[in-house]
Amino acid sequence: MDLLNRFANAVSFKDYDDFYNHFRLNVPENFNYAYDVVDEYAAIDPDKRALVWCDDADHERIFTFADIKVLSDKAANFFLSMGVAKGDRVLVILQRRYEYWVILMALSKIGAIAIPATHMLMEKDIVYRMEKSGAMGIVCVNEDELCENIRRAAAKVPGIGFMAAIGERDGFIDFTRACEQCSDVLNVPYKTRRTANDTFLIYFTSGTTGMPKMVCLSQRYTLGHIVTAKYWQNCSDGGLHFTLAETGWAKASWGKIFGQWVCGSAVFVYDFHGKFEADESPDECLLREAR
């Protein structure tokens, strides 16, 4: 089953005019995506497929909603151990690593705010985002140039409390190992859960004219993408949806998590490095999961 009927007044419409005139979202006042979508699926259908991930080195992982719940609870405990609290902001630079989905849910559960960013940022870009957002920590992919840019940027910005990378890296916390050592029991007072209008994400614009500007998005925003997933991308319960975008771009929110999961569709992620080559894409993995 999907959760569409909980958050929309109707699912089927006879035509576009009917949809335009009558479609409405039902957004609970205390809505929190991590608890009310991911953890809810984990409770009612724990084996429901959430994420199918593979990379260009032939590694492959498949996660159910129960898996995402457990991993996000452990990650939330890691962030709490780092001093992250409700309203705190954390830069998240993870390309197409599966940890991105876990970390967004973890930060949501403790009321913190994720700032997704691309791995193509240089030192000055990272300094700018750290300063403007008031970020107190960062989690990133384990790449030499990026980690060095982060290291130099953090040295220039007071208030950066921690730097974590996926795997071992000098000067960084090993996020993977640290989360493995955390409890999978998360005890967060209900008051720390955000309301539907509280900020969930901050994106920086591309800065086409002038410097990039911060765009704050609320928990309510995630349900807005029901329209994107259901009526544009035609996502369906039990389906598998593929959007190519890297997680540093807002397109990832449109096509790689929020609306798709509410619709009950799993998300397919191909974690490649360098140029995308269609003839080297993971056809076998896609076909196997589509069966």
Side-chain angles (χ1 to χ4, degrees):
M1 64 170 292
D2 60 51
L3 298 179
L4 280 172
N5 290 316
R6 295 194 184 185
F7 303 117
N9 66 327
V11 175
S12 299
F13 301 87
K14 63 182 181 181
D15 54 31
Y16 176 78
D17 287 338
D18 184 27
F19 170 82
Y20 182 84
N21 290 314
H22 298 107
F23 177 81
R24 298 292 183 273
L25 289 174
N26 300 323
V27 185
E29 181 180 353
N30 62 346
F31 175 74
N32 181 298
Y33 190 92
Y35 291 110
D36 296 324
V37 177
V38 172
D39 284 13
E40 184 64 11
Y41 273 133
I44 63 178
D45 192 359
D47 294 328
K48 190 177 187 66
R49 188 178 57 176
L51 182 66
V52 177
W53 175 92
C54 65
D55 66 12
D56 51 7
D58 294 329
H59 300 113
E60 182 177 309
R61 295 283 301 273
I62 299 173
F63 301 87
T64 65
F65 280 100
D67 294 329
I68 300 295
K69 179 195 184 311
V70 170
L71 292 171
S72 61
D73 284 347
K74 292 169 77 71
N77 279 322
F78 163 76
F79 286 119
L80 289 171
S81 74
M82 293 292 103
V84 180
K86 183 177 181 179
D88 285 338
R89 300 166 180 197
V90 178
L91 269 168
V92 180
I93 306 179
L94 289 169
Q95 293 179 283
R96 298 174 181 86
R97 287 288 308 182
Y98 58 78
E99 288 87 353
Y100 177 80
W101 286 259
V102 172
I103 286 170
L104 251 60
M105 296 303 102
L107 293 173
S108 179
K109 286 181 175 182
I110 61 177
I113 300 166
I115 309 171
T118 175
H119 71 290
M120 295 186 289
L121 298 179
M122 303 306 291
E123 177 187 342
K124 64 180 178 60
D125 305 312
I126 298 169
V127 168
Y128 177 79
R129 283 158 176 76
M130 287 176 170
E131 290 180 337
K132 288 296 182 181
S133 69
M136 61 89 68
I138 185 166
V139 185
C140 66
V141 290
N142 200 333
E143 293 189 352
D144 292 343
E145 182 178 7
L146 173 63
C147 288
E148 186 56 31
N149 285 331
I150 290 171
R151 192 195 318 272
R152 291 198 298 260
K156 297 179 179 180
V157 182
I160 299 299
F162 70 93
M163 299 182 298
I166 307 301
E168 295 183 6
R169 165 77 58 167
D170 287 345
F172 289 74
I173 297 167
D174 183 336
F175 177 82
T176 305
R177 178 175 295 180
C179 287
E180 287 173 351
Q181 296 173 348
C182 287
S183 170
D184 60 3
V185 177
L186 178 63
N187 293 311
V188 177
Y190 187 80
K191 66 181 180 180
T192 67
R193 304 186 188 185
R194 292 168 292 181
T195 67
N197 292 322
D198 284 339
T199 302
F200 177 27
L201 294 166
I202 293 177
Y203 281 107
F204 278 79
T205 64
S206 58
T208 305
T209 57
M211 295 299 289
K213 310 299 190 297
M214 290 194 299
V215 178
C216 298
L217 302 171
S218 69
Q219 290 278 353
R220 181 185 299 272
Y221 166 84
T222 65
L223 292 182
H225 282 303
I226 288 175
V227 176
T228 311
K230 176 66 176 176
Y231 301 105
W232 176 33
Q233 297 166 341
N234 200 29
C235 291
S236 60
D237 189 30
L240 185 65
H241 178 76
F242 181 28
T243 287
L244 192 62
E246 189 228 302
T247 60
W249 307 107
K251 174 62 177 173
S253 287
W254 311 338
K256 298 176 85 84
I257 181 168
F258 298 124
Q260 294 72 33
W261 277 359
V262 174
C263 289
S265 175
V267 175
F268 177 77
V269 180
Y270 177 38
D271 182 14
F272 66 95
H273 299 80
K275 183 179 178 181
F276 177 77
E277 299 289 350
D279 60 353
E280 295 178 0
S281 63
D283 297 325
E284 287 303 316
C285 184
L286 273 170
L287 289 171
R288 182 167 57 254
E289 288 308 309
R291 294 189 184 107

